[in-house]
Amino acid sequence: MEALDLWVRNTSEVLTVEGTHREPAEAALTPRPGAGIGVKDGRVAYVGPESGLPKGALTDATEVIDAEGGFVGPGFVDPHTHLVFAGERSAEFDLRNQGATYLEIAKAGGGIANTVSATRAASEEELATLALPRLERLLAQGVTTAEVKSGYGLNLADELKMLRAVRRLGALSPLELVPTLLCAHAVPPEYKERRAEYLDLCIHEILPAVAREGLARFCDVFTEDSAFTVEESRRLLNAGKALGLTPRLHADQLTACGASALAAEVGAASADHLEQVTDEGIRALAAANVTAVLVPTSTLFLRMRPYAPGRKLRDAGVNIALGSNVNPGSSMTENLALVLGLACLENGLSAAEAYWGATRGAAQCLGLQRQGRLAVGDAGDLVVFACRSYRHLPYHLGISHARVVVKGGRVVFRARMNHCP
């Protein structure tokens, strides 16, 4: 073995997360008690006892991190964010908490129209600059890979601008970013009485332009009677598939509208939200191997009930992923630690299931074969936590315990903290 670039020692355990979602989650995390982990050329090169390292693996050039009894796991993967936008909506948040309804706020010019207006007015460079601190806060939580959606441009020029801002961000931040086109987020105000024309714009102009530039990996749609119907969503997603964009859906968030069945029908990578999913929808997702992306901070932020039935989904054999859904209207938070806690308290997951959902489950949803786990040959994306067990993460509610974050074998974040007992 050549000399390692980085070596992490004195761990309580290393979670390599080499199992599958179809086995008990504790086993799927594949813990390696007391192991160390070494990275070479950005990839995991060794997991095991330090005594088992070949001669010459550790040299003066090897960066050594003392985990001080903390556990090590893969970098978190956030599979659902809307973190590129301009403006903010704290006044609306305050009004909603005083009793104003979403419809009342929208009629007064607020809601998504507010963010669309601000985002259209911002340049590509400004959007990237505004989003960078949000990425930094995700990084401090232990996130090393994040999906990022468009959806606040809602015309050809501004949807392209948003996705180009995502590409620009990828050069500014150590996080790996996975872009998604969400032109079907809402019908823009200027098309309010011409929704069929807007759908045609998405299908015949925006989708082909994004595909030509290679600006997105996925095509997403907000499927809801108040947004895009099942039939409209089917047309758009199939058009995206024909151009090489994998389908994803905002599904069954507000009503049980049949979006989960559509996700199964079109072979979507994921159905996200699912607060109102039916038993029939759950069976369809399981049969089609569609990942359920749960975003419990959004349910909390909107003061909605019920939370998505994570326990039912998991028991039915559906792969679970967890996302922050960071966005200005329904989940203004980058706190993945809170997501883990709510996934256990409100979605009904165990600590191991929640941890799976923030690592390998999320990576699989995004089609990432080498992220979200730490087998030899995988990406050297890892987190040294300031606690001995993953079970502490959802228990210590809303508090990040990411002490050292490594991306591609390079330390990209260090926190000042003591270990938890």
Side-chain angles (χ1 to χ4, degrees), residues 137-385:
R137 287 188 283 271
L138 284 175
L139 182 66
Q141 293 276 323
V143 176
T144 54
T145 302
E147 182 260 13
V148 186
K149 303 179 192 297
S150 66
Y152 296 122
L154 305 186
N155 61 36
L156 176 60
D158 291 304
E159 286 292 299
L160 292 175
K161 178 181 68 179
M162 287 190 70
L163 290 170
R164 289 169 184 151
V166 176
R167 184 170 59 189
R168 182 186 290 253
L169 272 171
L172 298 174
S173 168
L175 274 79
E176 182 174 347
L177 303 182
V178 179
T180 294
L181 172 66
L182 182 59
C183 57
H185 195 189
V187 177
E190 64 269 27
Y191 282 91
K192 185 178 180 181
E193 307 300 328
R194 299 180 293 137
R195 60 181 298 118
E197 290 183 36
Y198 182 65
L199 188 65
D200 285 342
L201 175 70
C202 289
I203 291 172
H204 299 301
E205 295 188 40
I206 299 177
L207 276 167
V210 168
R212 279 195 302 270
E213 285 196 44
L215 287 171
R217 186 177 302 178
F218 297 96
C219 176
D220 200 344
V221 59
F222 183 16
T223 304
E224 192 67 54
D225 289 341
S226 59
F228 293 87
T229 67
V230 167
E231 180 52 38
E232 289 169 336
S233 300
R234 180 183 287 112
R235 283 187 59 204
L236 190 140
L237 293 170
N238 282 330
K241 280 180 71 174
L243 293 167
L245 300 175
T246 302
R248 298 186 66 183
L249 286 83
H250 285 58
D252 297 332
Q253 179 187 7
L254 305 176
T255 62
C257 63
S260 294
L262 177 62
E265 174 192 325
V266 300
S270 72
D272 302 30
H273 282 281
L274 299 173
E275 286 88 343
Q276 303 293 336
V277 68
T278 63
D279 290 347
E280 182 181 3
I282 291 173
R283 288 192 293 271
L285 295 176
N289 198 30
V290 177
T291 294
V293 177
L294 310 185
V295 287
T297 48
S298 185
T299 319
L300 174 71
F301 198 92
L302 292 174
R303 301 166 72 182
M304 293 174 60
R305 291 294 188 277
Y307 281 75
R311 180 77 273 132
K312 274 190 173 183
L313 287 157
R314 169 75 189 191
D315 289 346
V318 178
N319 180 46
I320 300 291
L322 298 177
S324 69
N325 193 25
V326 55
N327 77 81
S330 66
S331 185
M332 192 58 220
T333 181
E334 299 91 348
N335 193 332
L336 201 70
L338 180 59
V339 173
L340 291 169
L342 289 173
C344 296
L345 291 169
E346 299 288 359
N347 296 121
L349 302 183
S350 70
E353 290 164 347
Y355 191 86
W356 166 274
T359 54
R360 190 64 188 150
Q364 288 181 343
C365 158
L366 298 179
L368 302 175
Q369 302 305 314
R370 290 297 193 177
Q371 280 78 19
R373 69 178 186 185
L374 293 174
V376 171
D378 285 341
D381 302 349
L382 58 91
V383 183
V384 180
F385 290 94

Side-chain angles (χ1 to χ4, degrees), residues 79-159:
H80 187 126
T81 84
H82 303 253
L83 58 81
V84 171
F85 61 87
E88 61 100 66
R89 286 153 59 183
S90 59
E92 294 178 18
F93 177 81
D94 195 31
L95 287 172
R96 194 164 61 242
N97 290 329
Q98 294 177 56
T101 67
Y102 180 87
L103 184 59
E104 289 169 342
I105 291 171
K107 284 182 176 179
I112 190 172
N114 187 327
T115 302
V116 170
S117 177
T119 301
R120 287 178 173 179
S123 69
E124 176 189 324
E125 183 178 4
E126 287 169 334
L127 289 175
T129 299
L130 289 167
L132 192 57
R134 299 166 197 147
L135 281 179
E136 290 172 349
R137 287 188 283 271
L138 284 175
L139 182 66
Q141 293 276 323
V143 176
T144 54
T145 302
E147 182 260 13
V148 186
K149 303 179 192 297
S150 66
Y152 296 122
L154 305 186
N155 61 36
L156 176 60
D158 291 304
E159 286 292 299

